[in-house]
Amino acid sequence: MSDKNREGKRTAREKLAVEREKQKSADKRRRALIVGGAVVAVLGLAAVIGVVAANAGKDDDSEASGPVVAPSGAQGKDGLAIPVGKDSAKSTLTVWEDFRCPACKSFETAYRPVIHELTNAGELKVEYHLVTLIDGNMRGTGSRNAANAAACAQDAGKFPAYHDVVFDNQPPEVDDAFADNAKLIELAGKVDGLDTPAFRTCVEKGTHNGWVAKSHHAFNKGGFSGTPTVLFDGKNIYQDRTMTPAKLKQMVQEANKE
């Protein structure tokens, strides 16, 4: 065999060896990519599961706030409404309120006289739902604590009077004064017969905090845009710019004739 032929065969073998090494390297990279992709997929799935679990935990605020203890006489779906007025009333007004909400106080100031008139006359029943919107927006626990205290007042049969006193003494929106249970107990002194050991214990222990959280969750699920939300015959009448206390009274009286 000539030297030229030997050199040609050696060169061919060397090229073949190089190609084999390239192929091995490519196979290693491919396997690494497959394993890496699997790891990423697993981590991605874990992240998704984590997000779902986190959201599931946030979905029910009531559990984080303790057991759901509805106040005495609560009505409606899941016992989330505090009724004021006679059950025999033909018309019902549904009110979602936050004790820290300035707009809620404005509504109460303007409409309270006619609402009292209609409820006392047996023409209207009001179902109050208490929420904690301002606590979320401005930080704090005043909305929740005030709502819990109002539920405690309901246990004592003093909700309407205490409800009005709390709104009459509402602090500025940025002032979380209602976070102080001592302040809420002090306000109970303005309602005859409310400041009792039972009421104080209920306020200080946050007996109805879980119920308040559940009520706020229902508010969120209802898709309402803000407080107050005032519903009459399924319509949010507070959004009606032509609405007045006199018009509300007329609406109730006309509905009661049907």
Side-chain angles (χ1 to χ4, degrees), residues 157-179:
K158 304 284 185 179
F159 173 81
Y162 187 69
H163 164 274
D164 292 353
V165 164
V166 174
F167 272 118
D168 287 344
N169 290 272
Q170 183 189 79
E173 187 177 14
V174 295
D175 181 359
D176 195 23
F178 288 161

Side-chain angles (χ1 to χ4, degrees), residues 17-202:
V18 169
E19 288 300 321
R20 285 175 177 171
E21 287 299 320
K22 287 182 178 179
Q23 186 63 41
K24 286 182 181 179
S25 297
D27 289 343
K28 285 182 180 180
R29 287 196 299 271
R30 189 180 301 110
R31 285 195 296 271
L33 288 172
I34 292 172
V35 172
V39 171
V40 170
V42 170
L43 291 176
L45 179 60
V48 170
I49 292 173
V51 169
V52 171
N55 287 339
K58 292 177 181 178
D59 192 47
D60 189 359
D61 296 334
S62 61
E63 290 185 5
S65 302
V68 177
V69 180
S72 176
Q75 298 179 355
K77 184 179 179 181
D78 297 327
L80 297 177
I82 294 180
V84 174
K86 298 177 181 178
D87 287 334
S88 59
K90 292 183 178 181
S91 295
T92 300
L93 193 71
T94 303
V95 181
W96 297 81
E97 289 184 320
D98 183 327
F99 283 110
R100 287 181 69 187
C101 164
C104 295
K105 181 176 181 178
S106 296
F107 167 76
E108 285 295 328
T109 300
Y111 285 81
R112 181 187 297 167
V114 73
I115 289 177
H116 281 187
E117 177 187 345
L118 294 170
T119 54
N120 291 337
E123 297 181 60
L124 179 69
K125 175 183 174 182
V126 184
E127 294 183 343
Y128 288 97
H129 295 260
L130 308 179
V131 299
T132 58
L133 197 63
I134 306 302
D135 281 357
N137 293 343
M138 304 296 294
R139 303 294 181 186
T141 60
S143 298
R144 184 200 67 185
N145 289 12
N148 171 68
C152 296
Q154 169 67 11
D155 288 337
K158 304 284 185 179
F159 173 81
Y162 187 69
H163 164 274
D164 292 353
V165 164
V166 174
F167 272 118
D168 287 344
N169 290 272
Q170 183 189 79
E173 187 177 14
V174 295
D175 181 359
D176 195 23
F178 288 161
D180 183 2
N181 285 328
K183 176 64 176 178
L184 297 168
I185 291 172
E186 176 190 331
L187 293 178
K190 298 178 179 293
V191 178
D192 187 36
L194 179 57
D195 187 3
T196 64
F199 174 80
R200 287 176 174 241
T201 299
C202 182

